[in-house]
Amino acid sequence: MSQIANSFQEAQKAFLILKQQGSQKRVAFLKEIANQIELLREDLIPVAARESHLPVGRITGELGRTLGQIMLFANLVEEGSWVDAIIDHSDPDRKPAPKPDIRKMLRPLGPVVVFGASNFPLAFSTAGGDTVSALASGCPVLYKAHPAHPETSRMVANAIKAAVTVCGMPEGTFHHIEGGIDTGQELAAHPLAKAVAFTGSFKGGKALFDACNKRETPIPVYAEMGSVNPVFAMEAYLNENLVAAANTYAGSLVLGVGQFCTNPGLIFVPKAHEKAFGNQVVSQLKEVAGAPMLHEGICNTYHQALKELAASDKIEWLLTTEASQVLTGNPSLAKVKASDWLSEDAFQEEVFGPFAIMVVYESIEELEKATVKLKGQLTCTVWGDSTELSTNKDFLNLVEEKCGRLLFSGVPTGVEVGHAMQHGGPFPSTTDSRSTSVGSSAISRFVRPVAFQDMPEELLPEELMEKNPLRILRKVDGVFIR
Amino acid sequence: MSQIANSFQEAQKAFLILKQQGSQKRVAFLKEIANQIELLREDLIPVAARESHLPVGRITGELGRTLGQIMLFANLVEEGSWVDAIIDHSDPDRKPAPKPDIRKMLRPLGPVVVFGASNFPLAFSTAGGDTVSALASGCPVLYKAHPAHPETSRMVANAIKAAVTVCGMPEGTFHHIEGGIDTGQELAAHPLAKAVAFTGSFKGGKALFDACNKRETPIPVYAEMGSVNPVFAMEAYLNENLVAAANTYAGSLVLGVGQFCTNPGLIFVPKAHEKAFGNQVVSQLKEVAGAPMLHEGICNTYHQALKELAASDKIEWLLTTEASQVLTGNPSLAKVKASDWLSEDAFQEEVFGPFAIMVVYESIEELEKATVKLKGQLTCTVWGDSTELSTNKDFLNLVEEKCGRLLFSGVPTGVEVGHAMQHGGPFPSTTDSRSTSVGSSAISRFVRPVAFQDMPEELLPEELMEKNPLRILRKVDGVFIR
């Protein structure tokens, strides 16, 4: 048996044990993962910074976020209501037939394959949101490490394994697997795999989606494949806020060398403010020193994409960049007329890095046309004053159709990890707009509802027992009650 | 523009209007659909009975169920909490960065394509659960009529259209479309289609699933493709209940001439009771007169499937049937040893009609092996006394993995339409085990979460307004509150 086949056998064995454990054992396990990672802090930060070329400050912040995510899921499972427990009591006297007792809740799917992302060596990697939400749901995880930060990944994997031991979880609960594309494909193809979570490129995510749909038994693929996160700046708003808006925008564009899924790589600006807004953004971008990107592949792709765009005679460059040193991604800004943008699909492609296209529009009608043409996005941002927002509800309605999160102030970078976060939008930003990969709702990706009909009380999962020992919120005979 | 393209344009226009309406308008619309169908009752029942060859009593019951389903969704939308509203308030003083205000809820996907089923000319057809749950969610519906009951379908479609007029809903809210397989494919392929709901054969459902995954923008397909609904009868249970259990089982097997997705076409019986159980079921089945099936295609397929099974020398026939008249489906029962059942995939195939395979097992280990080999099912049923259930938790754990609904008494036919119902199981019983096509949770198939960040109060959907005008249950800063 191959190593991977063996890991799946162990994971399946672990799954059947996890399903019969109470949820409180998972809570202790999640907290212990956070504890074990915390113990590594001093050793982990420099390694992650070195491997990712990200500054220590950023990695320190990301570690805090990673620990916060783990605690968010621990608290969610501890509170317990996330399982959507529903009870419809029996009625033996009902005519024409007696009514049975039916109880439903969300139950874990089984072994989950998680792919690490290069741009978040901690928060979207080994003990990142995907792994932790899957473990929180009761699914074992087979984690495919990202080759860009192998040592970081091994250190965090050892922390999870230590938590497995400390908490007496089944050994197959977590597997750390290193390898290339073939390894990833083998993982996703295995009959015991029940779901896949991925953050990365469109090409990688779509290939997984296609492969998993062609399996003998298809499985859900939650691939977050990026987005250009359009910002729509409206005229009256800019009349009052141009400088501040341009500065905020430029700051978001270069954050993390533009290597965020929520990087705002597309901005619509009204003709009246075209020059002033462009100049202000450029003046800000010029202040920013080029910084090293995550790895050579990403940096080469960034410069290649800019080169291809440069071949278009529809683009005017407001700020160009040359690769000054190996790995360096310098900010760059292009301008195009909305009518030209509408005629060219390539202007919608994500360029991963600190680059944006500024689209100059002449009317709301043109903006609506552009919105209809837009592909699905993780986020859209509309900057308008209260009058122009309330008189353009049809436009806002169209924008909503294109994204998972719609912002009315600020910028899309800086994704809150909370209950209301939605980090998942229409295809091609993700393969499943019904899901989020950030925030507590991410747990819902790895479960399915199971109904138990006339199940003896002593066999029911705790969440469905008549006396509600966990005191969770449940829908009982149509009424929400604790 | 083709008729279908035109219908989609109208549906999309309607969708953008529906999204901006309050939910209470949808409630009135759903209730008016029920009212309009009720007005048709006397005319509709004989037509549906004639076209489906189902008895008037059954059609009358199905009409009641259909009206009940509509009211279930009307009440669900009226209560309003189904949208899973979540609010995380802002904190402008948070360090290092202020916390934004984020509000999330489920929003409709867009135009939905619904395929009618032949075996429920009312409850799974024109104004059936799929159509009504999609309309309840705020999605327009393009309904592909089933050719087996065209007149029934037209009558119900006219009732829905009358309700559209009475309630002043946008004209494109509902489209009734007749045609063959090509028409269905064209509907599912249209770029404005956002989801597909289907109940029918594996072949039909899988073809839609594959086609929709290959679209430029893939869309979810909720196909319910049937199941053999295994019943596991345990030894101690049969010691006490053999005759009653066999009688109940036989009744379920022939209900509706076996033409239910939840028909229990596979039963595992312990060796000790093999003869007595088989004899009792056969004696019951012999009492049942063959009855007309839904249409000639289904009847021919039924007899063809039995003929193919008859070629196997591993099968012993306890009751055989010949097509006595055109359309007639007579009950039929075969027996096979568990060891033989395990060696032959064909013994798991659904035979749509009043036929079952009785599998004789020698031990719990054999039963567990069979469970592991089982494909995904809508339902599984375990009949055990309290001791054999509590001593075989590992077996029950395996059974749960194979189904959406797990029963401990009675039979899987007679699907309750309530909040806790789960009518959807692992592939290939459906294409999406995370969904149900029966019960109030069916509405969740046609929505996705959208988060609004720092949205001005006056622009928010009612469900997310600070003052909670609809008094729905919401999760506010992590706490459930009305």
Side-chain angles (χ1 to χ4, degrees):
Chain A
M1 204 186 297
S2 79
Q3 177 65 41
I4 285 176
N6 196 48
S7 299
F8 270 108
Q9 293 295 341
E10 280 182 28
Q12 178 67 12
K13 217 183 287 176
F15 172 58
L16 293 171
I17 297 169
L18 291 171
K19 268 179 68 198
Q20 299 192 67
Q21 283 179 352
S23 58
Q24 299 315 306
K25 210 161 155 70
R26 289 209 302 284
V27 174
F29 173 50
L30 292 169
K31 290 181 177 174
E32 185 59 29
I33 293 174
N35 179 45
Q36 291 290 336
I37 293 174
E38 186 62 62
L39 292 174
L40 278 183
R41 175 183 284 271
E42 298 308 315
D43 295 335
L44 184 60
I45 289 174
V47 173
R50 171 171 54 75
E51 288 191 320
S52 66
H53 310 112
L54 293 168
V56 164
R58 150 73 196 271
I59 292 292
T60 305
E62 192 180 323
L63 179 58
R65 173 178 169 173
T66 306
L67 297 171
Q69 285 175 168
I70 298 173
M71 292 311 291
L72 180 77
F73 287 109
N75 293 335
L76 185 80
V77 176
E78 193 157 34
E79 195 279 330
S81 304
W82 72 275
V83 299
D84 277 353
I86 306 180
I87 297 176
D88 289 343
H89 282 112
S90 66
D91 178 1
D93 300 325
R94 193 186 62 175
K95 303 291 170 211
K99 188 181 170 200
D101 178 285
I102 308 184
R103 294 163 190 246
K104 174 160 87 163
M105 67 176 282
L106 298 172
R107 298 282 277 169
L109 285 178
V112 170
V113 177
V114 173
F115 289 81
S118 67
N119 62 340
F120 281 91
L122 300 171
F124 280 81
S125 288
T126 325
D130 288 336
T131 296
V132 170
S133 57
L135 291 175
S137 75
C139 293
V141 169
L142 293 99
Y143 178 74
K144 160 74 176 62
H146 198 288
H149 48 264
E151 205 178 323
T152 307
S153 198
R154 277 174 224 137
M155 289 173 81
V156 177
N158 287 336
I160 300 176
K161 285 178 191 165
V164 166
T165 305
V166 169
C167 299
M169 301 298 275
E171 220 183 314
T173 303
F174 178 79
H175 294 265
H176 185 257
I177 295 155
E178 299 185 53
I181 291 174
D182 289 355
T183 304
Q185 285 170 337
E186 191 182 342
L187 284 164
H190 195 280
L192 287 172
K194 289 295 164 63
V196 170
F198 169 92
T199 300
S201 69
F202 176 77
K203 201 180 144 195
K206 183 61 161 52
L208 279 171
F209 178 76
D210 289 341
C212 289
N213 283 323
K214 280 182 206 139
R215 289 166 49 116
E216 194 184 330
T217 298
I219 56 174
V221 172
Y222 303 102
E224 194 266 74
M225 304 180 292
S227 169
V228 292
N229 303 293
V231 176
F232 302 90
M234 299 180 83
E235 190 164 336
Y237 180 88
L238 289 186
N239 288 343
E240 301 297 325
N241 304 285
L242 189 142
V243 173
N247 293 355
T248 303
Y249 179 74
S252 176
L253 191 64
V254 299
L255 199 70
V257 205
Q259 300 165 116
F260 290 118
C261 322
T262 52
N263 189 257
L266 182 64
I267 182 160
F268 293 87
V269 174
K271 197 164 172 51
H273 296 298
E274 166 187 3
K275 287 230 159 58
F277 191 87
N279 289 342
Q280 185 63 29
V281 171
V282 167
S283 77
Q284 290 293 304
L285 296 181
K286 279 185 172 161
E287 303 282 307
V288 178
M293 298 187 79
L294 290 160
H295 56 77
E296 218 177 290
I298 279 185
C299 190
N300 292 342
T301 304
Y302 176 60
H303 288 102
Q304 183 57 35
L306 295 183
K307 215 164 135 185
E308 281 165 24
L309 282 171
S312 166
D313 57 5
K314 290 169 182 165
I315 277 190
E316 180 188 332
W317 290 85
L318 302 185
L319 182 65
T320 53
T321 178
E322 287 295 322
S324 52
Q325 312 174 40
V326 177
L327 267 185
T328 302
N330 292 300
S332 182
L333 186 68
K335 186 170 85 174
V336 63
K337 282 194 290 187
S339 53
D340 286 337
W341 185 86
L342 281 163
S343 70
E344 188 75 75
D345 290 347
F347 296 156
Q348 281 211 53
E349 295 304 319
E350 183 183 13
V351 175
F352 197 71
F355 164 76
I357 295 186
M358 181 174 117
V359 181
V360 180
Y361 67 90
E362 307 207 6
S363 65
I364 291 290
E365 291 66 41
E366 213 173 33
L367 211 50
E368 289 188 348
K369 261 190 215 160
T371 305
V372 169
K373 187 184 165 74
L374 267 180
K375 294 181 188 176
Q377 307 288 337
L378 290 170
T379 73
C380 287
T381 302
V382 178
W383 291 338
D385 81 355
S386 62
T387 309
E388 59 197 349
L389 290 178
S390 60
T391 54
N392 289 293
K393 282 187 185 163
D394 287 345
F395 163 62
L396 298 180
N397 201 10
L398 290 173
V399 175
E400 184 196 325
E401 289 314 295
K402 298 297 174 152
C403 62
R405 179 164 57 113
L406 176 51
L407 295 86
F408 289 85
S409 78
V411 283
T413 46
V415 180
E416 288 294 320
V417 182
H419 299 294
M421 177 47 63
Q422 175 62 19
H423 189 68
F427 188 92
S429 68
T430 74
T431 49
D432 192 336
S433 71
R434 298 161 298 172
S435 71
T436 178
S437 62
V438 177
S440 56
S441 311
I443 197 172
S444 310
R445 298 175 295 170
F446 306 116
V447 290
R448 66 182 176 98
V450 177
F452 302 93
Q453 184 165 326
D454 294 326
M455 193 180 211
E457 171 80 7
E458 65 276 15
L459 295 178
L460 283 167
E462 281 177 299
E463 290 86 346
L464 297 178
M465 287 179 171
E466 188 61 24
K467 59 181 185 290
N468 195 9
L470 303 177
R471 290 276 160 269
I472 61 174
L473 185 73
R474 311 193 291 190
K475 192 173 187 176
V476 179
D477 299 325
V479 177
F480 290 99
I481 192 168
R482 243 178 232 274
Chain B
M1 203 186 297
S2 78
Q3 177 64 42
I4 284 177
N6 195 49
S7 299
F8 271 107
Q9 293 295 340
E10 280 182 29
Q12 177 68 13
K13 216 182 291 176
F15 172 58
L16 293 170
I17 298 168
L18 291 172
K19 267 180 67 195
Q20 298 192 68
Q21 283 179 351
S23 58
Q24 299 315 306
K25 213 165 152 66
R26 287 209 304 285
V27 174
F29 174 51
L30 292 169
K31 290 180 178 174
E32 186 58 29
I33 293 175
N35 180 44
Q36 291 289 337
I37 293 174
E38 186 62 60
L39 292 173
L40 279 183
R41 175 183 286 271
E42 298 308 315
D43 295 335
L44 185 59
I45 289 174
V47 174
R50 172 172 51 77
E51 288 191 320
S52 65
H53 310 112
L54 293 167
V56 163
R58 149 72 197 272
I59 292 292
T60 305
E62 192 181 323
L63 179 58
R65 172 178 169 173
T66 306
L67 297 170
Q69 287 176 167
I70 299 173
M71 292 311 292
L72 180 77
F73 287 108
N75 293 335
L76 185 80
V77 176
E78 192 157 35
E79 195 279 331
S81 304
W82 73 274
V83 299
D84 277 353
I86 306 181
I87 297 176
D88 289 343
H89 281 112
S90 68
D91 178 1
D93 301 324
R94 193 187 61 177
K95 303 291 172 217
K99 187 182 171 199
D101 178 285
I102 308 183
R103 293 163 192 247
K104 174 160 89 164
M105 66 178 281
L106 299 173
R107 298 282 276 168
L109 286 177
V112 170
V113 177
V114 173
F115 289 80
S118 66
N119 62 340
F120 280 92
L122 299 171
F124 281 81
S125 288
T126 324
D130 288 336
T131 296
V132 170
S133 57
L135 292 174
S137 76
C139 294
V141 168
L142 293 100
Y143 178 74
K144 161 73 175 62
H146 197 288
H149 50 264
E151 206 178 323
T152 306
S153 197
R154 277 174 222 137
M155 290 173 81
V156 177
N158 287 336
I160 301 176
K161 285 177 191 166
V164 166
T165 307
V166 168
C167 299
M169 301 300 275
E171 220 182 314
T173 303
F174 178 80
H175 295 264
H176 185 256
I177 295 155
E178 298 184 54
I181 291 174
D182 289 354
T183 304
Q185 285 169 337
E186 191 183 343
L187 285 164
H190 195 280
L192 287 172
K194 289 295 165 62
V196 171
F198 169 92
T199 301
S201 69
F202 176 78
K203 202 180 145 194
K206 183 61 164 48
L208 280 170
F209 178 76
D210 290 341
C212 289
N213 282 323
K214 279 181 207 141
R215 289 166 50 116
E216 194 184 330
T217 297
I219 56 173
V221 172
Y222 303 102
E224 194 267 75
M225 305 181 290
S227 169
V228 292
N229 303 292
V231 176
F232 302 90
M234 299 180 83
E235 190 165 334
Y237 180 88
L238 289 186
N239 288 342
E240 301 296 323
N241 303 284
L242 189 140
V243 172
N247 293 355
T248 304
Y249 179 74
S252 176
L253 191 65
V254 298
L255 199 70
V257 204
Q259 299 165 115
F260 290 118
C261 323
T262 52
N263 188 258
L266 182 63
I267 183 161
F268 292 87
V269 174
K271 197 164 172 50
H273 295 299
E274 168 189 1
K275 287 231 159 59
F277 191 87
N279 289 342
Q280 184 63 28
V281 172
V282 167
S283 77
Q284 291 293 304
L285 296 180
K286 280 186 173 163
E287 303 282 306
V288 178
M293 298 188 78
L294 290 159
H295 56 77
E296 216 176 292
I298 280 185
C299 190
N300 292 342
T301 305
Y302 176 60
H303 288 103
Q304 183 58 34
L306 295 184
K307 214 164 135 183
E308 280 165 25
L309 282 172
S312 166
D313 57 5
K314 290 170 180 162
I315 277 189
E316 179 188 333
W317 291 84
L318 301 185
L319 181 65
T320 53
T321 176
E322 287 295 321
S324 52
Q325 311 175 41
V326 177
L327 268 184
T328 301
N330 293 301
S332 182
L333 186 68
K335 186 170 85 172
V336 62
K337 282 194 291 186
S339 52
D340 286 336
W341 185 87
L342 280 164
S343 71
E344 188 75 73
D345 290 347
F347 295 156
Q348 281 211 53
E349 295 305 319
E350 184 184 13
V351 175
F352 198 70
F355 164 75
I357 296 187
M358 182 175 117
V359 181
V360 180
Y361 66 91
E362 306 209 6
S363 65
I364 291 290
E365 292 66 42
E366 214 174 32
L367 210 51
E368 289 187 349
K369 262 190 213 160
T371 305
V372 169
K373 186 183 164 75
L374 265 181
K375 294 182 188 173
Q377 307 287 337
L378 291 170
T379 73
C380 287
T381 301
V382 178
W383 291 338
D385 80 357
S386 60
T387 309
E388 58 197 351
L389 290 178
S390 58
T391 53
N392 288 293
K393 282 186 183 161
D394 288 344
F395 164 62
L396 299 180
N397 200 11
L398 290 173
V399 175
E400 184 195 325
E401 288 315 296
K402 299 297 174 152
C403 64
R405 178 164 56 113
L406 176 51
L407 296 85
F408 289 85
S409 77
V411 283
T413 47
V415 180
E416 287 295 319
V417 182
H419 300 294
M421 178 46 63
Q422 175 62 19
H423 189 68
F427 188 91
S429 68
T430 74
T431 49
D432 192 336
S433 72
R434 297 161 299 172
S435 70
T436 178
S437 63
V438 176
S440 56
S441 311
I443 198 172
S444 309
R445 296 174 296 170
F446 306 116
V447 290
R448 66 183 177 97
V450 177
F452 302 95
Q453 184 165 327
D454 293 327
M455 193 180 212
E457 170 80 7
E458 65 276 15
L459 295 177
L460 283 167
E462 282 176 298
E463 290 87 345
L464 296 178
M465 287 180 171
E466 188 61 23
K467 58 180 188 287
N468 195 9
L470 302 178
R471 291 275 161 272
I472 60 174
L473 184 74
R474 311 193 291 191
K475 192 174 187 175
V476 180
D477 299 324
V479 178
F480 290 99
I481 192 168
R482 244 179 230 273

